[in-house]
Amino acid sequence: MSHARTRTRWRLALTATALLAASFLVPPPVSATPVDAAAEDATDYAITVDPKAAGAKIDDTMYGVFFEDINRAADGGLYAELVQNRSFEYSTADNRSYTPLTSWATTGTATTADDDGRLNARNRTYLALGADSSVTNSGYNTGLSVQAGKAYDFSVWARADGSSALTVTLQDADGELAQARRVTARGGWAKYTARLTATRTSTTGRLTVASDGPAALDMISLVPRDTYKAHGLRADLAGKIAALDPGFVRFPGGCLVNTGSMKGYDEESGWERRRAYQWKDTIGPVEQRATNANFWGYNQSYGLGYYEYFQFSEDIGAMPLPVVPALVTGCGQNQAVDDDALLERHIQDTLDLIEFANGPVTGEWGGKRAAMGHPKPFHLTHLAVGNEENLPNEYFERFKQFRAAVEAKYPDVTVVSNSGPDDSGSTFDTAWKLNREANVDLVDEHYYNSPQWFLQNNDRYDSYDRSGPKVFLGEYASQGNTFKNALSEAAFMTGLERNADVVKLASYAPLLANEDYVQWRPDLIWFNNHASWNSANYEVQKLFMRNTGDRVVPSSATGTPSLSGPIAGAVGLSTWATSAAYDDVKVTGADGTELLADDFSGDASQWTHTGGGSWSVQDGQYVQSDEAAENTMVSAGDPAWHDYDLHVKATKQAGKEGFLVAFGVKDTGNYYWWNLGGWNNTQSAVEQAVDGGKSTLISKAGSVGTGRAYDIDIKVRGRQVTLYLDGQEWGSFTDDKPAEPFRQVVTKDKRTGDLIVKVVNAQAVEARTAVDLGSAKVRPKAEVTTLAAAADAVNTETDTAVAPVTSTFPGVARKFTYTFPANSVTFLRIRKG
């Protein structure tokens, strides 16, 4: 064995703790037998392929994207409109800081009105501009972004009792950006247009409309002429999505579907602004579409609506997969709407949506599609009902009625169900039981977990019932945009492909994020008003989407031998949007040795405050009194403690949730905690944090009462934990699954005959690997695509640290050796001989 090889193995041992979390120890990998006598030294891993065996068929729609209007993904994002709040509909219903003039500056006399002089009933607010007055829009991010030589289409709806000349200018702090244009408004509401051509490039533009006489204005718009396939979407963002070659597009949510009122935008509802996304609001002329209060804290104009969604799916060759409300709210609202007439209306709306997508032009809704410019059908084949409902029984009663109605009229349309917001727990189990009993075709699963969870759960679908419902993994991500996150997702995706007979669809989420309006991290594509860039996660998704193959070729690989040490760490107390009091904390070793005892009769000097909130000793209790603070952790003890019993007495004083008791605390980002009364006091769970990313290990429904003292006991033995609430066992778990860093899958491309060997090496050392292709006849050269970077590498607007590198490997044979770089995803396309 060479000295160089010894150093490599030693580096592997040194990086194991960071790789597998603080409590795992990983010895050097076992050497495989060299493939021949000429091999310089032993290999770390071995991959064995069985080309004669038939693996799972992989559908063309295996990987797709999920578009939700979060992080300004639509207005200010994919929708190419440059003017923010173009119809003066912004309201405190959208955001407390909003007014109808948000993003507008005025001179002279300019007020907004909501009266019978409006443009139409669904566009309720307009601007009343006095003589010699103006209004200026600041756009998104730093302003309106324009490029020299590019044309931009201006339009405005205006009404003037007499004749008013409207002057349209585009400028920034350095002066004019385009030659001013003038239009004359006369009489009742009418649309006026002009074209502006930018003379300079700027990202800080301002659009001004000035009037020499009194005028009413609405729907002030500026849109680039250069949009994706001339269909009104921002070209660079749409192009990045298209470059993934997605098999489907899920739309429009997400929480947009199952939150807010299920009523319409009409006089009967009082023009309700906080509504679930309802497709009929989003079609027809844009000036007649309703706006809505977006769940994520801003206004959505519906300029990018269902027609544009279907059109974009067609443009990029992807299957549309819309999601409609099930009349059970989620995302923290958790209410079942009990209104039979409203339920019937939504079911009919769903049938009408299918007709809008697929129906003949002679029908009502097919005719509306044709009137918008698309007489041919959009070929809708799948439709989902609901999103992440936390009330599985109530949801499923309604789901069955939707499914029955769709199957009766459109038997060729697959109706998709879901399993709630988590990867496990009582809601998940109940939902899956109901889905199995009803023989549902597809079940939508969602989860956002730590990189360690994704490394540990590559085998998640190995044990799923092959004859039961199939899986649509509609939302998943590993809680970060570093290359480490992307590597863990890549490792997990090899398991998705291996189980392609069960997992039929999968989409990372969310898709888009405007860097100045972020409600959720991580995200696949980042952008501002003038640029966009691919995350490391995007590069992984693209590599898998464009090299999926048609069938899995069965293969196996040796793993990284791992030795699990005991769960070790200090103890902690915390709260989340709650005030709570703690007392009688005691930690006792397995042999009865007292490690910590604190009844808070004195001070709290044993405790270290690492989170937020306000802690103090009050009346012999340790109290966190800030009801708004989140993650207020205090900890005590030795990070080396293991095999101990923790006792705490906890009392909720006020607030939204319960309390959190931590164990195995290594530092601020690595710990376990029992979250009692979490998720707005609806459930309790044990969560594990690894490098700040959390995963749920066990959960149950339940709440915590205010003013009542609870006895909490946690027994830690090795890697097994048992939890007791008021002396009764609440649950237990064993956290002993290794976070395997070396994963692979092999697929075959039917069109080319290529074998595609896909290997993820999610560790800080290279992996020299013996590959045995069995009886496969292959050519000696392989096309190689590699993603390799530092684990903490992040792509930004100015720095692309993670990008694919292509090369040729000349050493392919039925048996060969390949060294996969540290922190890498490698695809070898091997041509048939």
Side-chain angles (χ1 to χ4, degrees), residues 15-22 24-26 45 450-458 484 488 491 559-564 688 690 719 735-743 761-763:
T15 58
T17 299
L19 171 67
L20 301 182
F24 283 92
L25 300 175
V26 182
Y45 299 94
S450 67
Q452 173 166 301
W453 185 94
F454 282 94
L455 292 177
Q456 288 176 320
N457 285 277
N458 174 276
K484 174 183 177 179
S488 71
T560 307
S562 62
L563 177 65
S564 299
Q688 181 185 15
V690 178
R719 300 204 65 79
D735 181 25
D736 61 354
K737 216 172 186 181
E740 173 59 57
F742 187 83
R743 296 293 189 184
N761 182 29
Q763 57 190 331

Side-chain angles (χ1 to χ4, degrees), residues 695-740:
S695 300
T696 300
L697 303 181
I698 180 175
S699 68
K700 295 182 180 181
S703 60
V704 167
T706 302
R708 176 190 162 188
Y710 291 83
D711 283 306
I712 297 167
D713 291 276
I714 301 173
K715 180 179 180 180
V716 182
R717 293 293 184 274
R719 300 204 65 79
Q720 183 172 358
V721 177
T722 309
L723 307 109
Y724 301 87
L725 186 62
D726 288 335
Q728 301 295 314
E729 183 174 332
W730 177 87
S732 64
F733 67 91
T734 303
D735 181 25
D736 61 354
K737 216 172 186 181
E740 173 59 57

